Amino acid sequence: MPVHRPGTPRRSRWSAAGILLSVLSALSLLITLPGAAQAAGGDDVPARGSARMGQGVIEHDGQGSLPPSGDAVQTEGVDVSSHQGNVAWSTLWNSGVKWAYVKATEGTYYKNPYFAQQYNGSYNVGMVRGAYHFATPDTSSGAAQANYFVDNGGGWSRDGKTLPGALDIEWNPYGAACFGKSQSAMVTWIRDFLNQYKARTGRHAVIYTATSWWKQCTGNYGGFAVNNPLWIARYASAPGELPAGWGFYTMWQYTSSGPTVGDHNKFNGALDRVVALANG
């Protein structure tokens, strides 16, 4: 049996064990924190909060040619997030862009730090603008996310310049495409968000999605088409097949490679129809 002699260091075995326990504890904390692995540089998974409208479109649906220009019955718009930073709104206005949507929130954990410049800046140059929420159905309930959205920029007022909030529901950039939900559970989550948004604002939210995602993750559910305007994502010369229930689109995101701001959209109508949607 080893005998400890006075003056002999006794720390080596215990200090090694202590270091091992500290490392294991740190790893455990890293694993349990939401988004920690992403922030730490995980395999091509972006950091929580960085998702943007249309992020998965090219990867899943590809990219075709641009639609014909100069359609007098459609009105040009853009959507922006923190990726654009401070936006040159006057440049966009002078190029013919008349409406915009700005990312306000994601989940119940992220607020766009550029929201004020983007949301107020678009309004100040004369655009009709609205806010959108990037949904993460795997992190909290639909109702909780609707409340977070409304409380952090996603509200609505009948001023003729504010569009109803938009729910951006698409591929999960942080994991499984359908956020780990069955088709019926996804429909329930979306319904809870929409119902709570309507209860808080008096308006039906716009639904932004891609047909292929909608088919995969909701089973091509058609029950929201009666009340909720459709914003379709399709980077091609035409919007193509729409999700079940919708006979037409209200907005169409047709490219992520536009001038000044990448994400460009067409409103299916002249500017007076944009204002009509804003007024409800």
Side-chain angles (χ1 to χ4, degrees):
M1 179 177 178
V3 177
H4 176 67
R5 294 183 177 86
T8 302
R10 201 177 201 170
R11 297 189 302 267
S12 59
R13 181 175 62 181
W14 303 112
S15 59
I19 292 170
L20 179 60
L21 285 171
S22 297
V23 170
L24 290 174
S25 176
L27 286 173
S28 174
L29 181 61
L30 181 65
I31 291 169
T32 56
L33 284 173
Q38 294 92 318
D43 295 340
D44 299 322
V45 178
R48 284 279 179 182
S50 66
R52 62 190 183 277
M53 186 172 277
Q55 184 161 333
V57 172
I58 294 177
E59 177 185 352
H60 292 88
D61 284 350
Q63 184 173 21
S65 59
L66 294 174
S69 59
D71 191 336
V73 297
Q74 294 194 327
T75 308
E76 194 76 7
V78 295
D79 59 270
V80 298
S81 66
S82 63
H83 291 270
Q84 280 76 35
N86 291 323
V87 175
W89 290 111
S90 295
T91 300
L92 284 166
W93 176 264
N94 292 333
S95 73
V97 174
K98 301 305 178 187
W99 60 275
Y101 265 91
V102 178
K103 181 179 179 181
T105 51
E106 176 179 320
T108 54
Y109 51 78
Y110 174 84
K111 295 181 285 186
N112 176 9
Y114 292 93
F115 181 77
Q117 191 277 344
Q118 295 173 346
Y119 193 71
N120 296 330
S122 54
Y123 179 93
N124 289 337
V125 298
M127 292 185 191
V128 184
R129 51 65 164 127
Y132 80 84
H133 173 80
F134 192 93
T136 56
D138 57 338
T139 63
S140 53
S141 71
Q145 292 193 29
N147 284 328
Y148 188 76
F149 178 44
V150 173
D151 292 341
N152 293 285
W156 175 78
S157 58
R158 195 186 300 274
D159 59 3
K161 300 292 288 291
T162 304
L163 292 160
L167 172 65
D168 178 358
I169 186 78
E170 57 175 297
W171 297 277
N172 177 13
Y174 311 119
C178 300
F179 300 87
K181 290 193 175 295
S182 67
Q183 293 173 343
S184 61
M186 181 62 75
V187 169
T188 297
W189 191 97
I190 295 170
R191 182 182 295 113
D192 288 346
F193 181 99
L194 299 175
N195 287 345
Q196 186 64 11
Y197 187 83
K198 175 67 161 57
R200 290 288 306 274
T201 66
R203 291 301 306 273
H204 291 291
V206 173
I207 295 177
Y208 168 97
T209 196
T211 300
S212 60
W213 182 92
W214 194 261
K215 285 182 171 181
Q216 177 186 355
C217 298
T218 74
N220 210 19
Y221 179 76
F224 300 128
V226 173
N227 294 315
N228 301 96
L230 173 65
W231 187 352
I232 191 67
R234 184 81 170 104
Y235 298 171
S237 59
E241 179 188 5
L242 302 181
W246 283 283
F248 61 91
Y249 65 88
T250 298
M251 289 167 277
W252 167 28
Q253 186 190 56
Y254 67 88
T255 186
S256 61
S257 304
T260 309
V261 166
D263 292 354
H264 272 246
N265 306 267
K266 292 186 179 297
F267 190 96
N268 195 9
L271 182 58
D272 65 326
R273 302 317 303 158
V274 182
V275 174
L277 178 61
N279 281 326

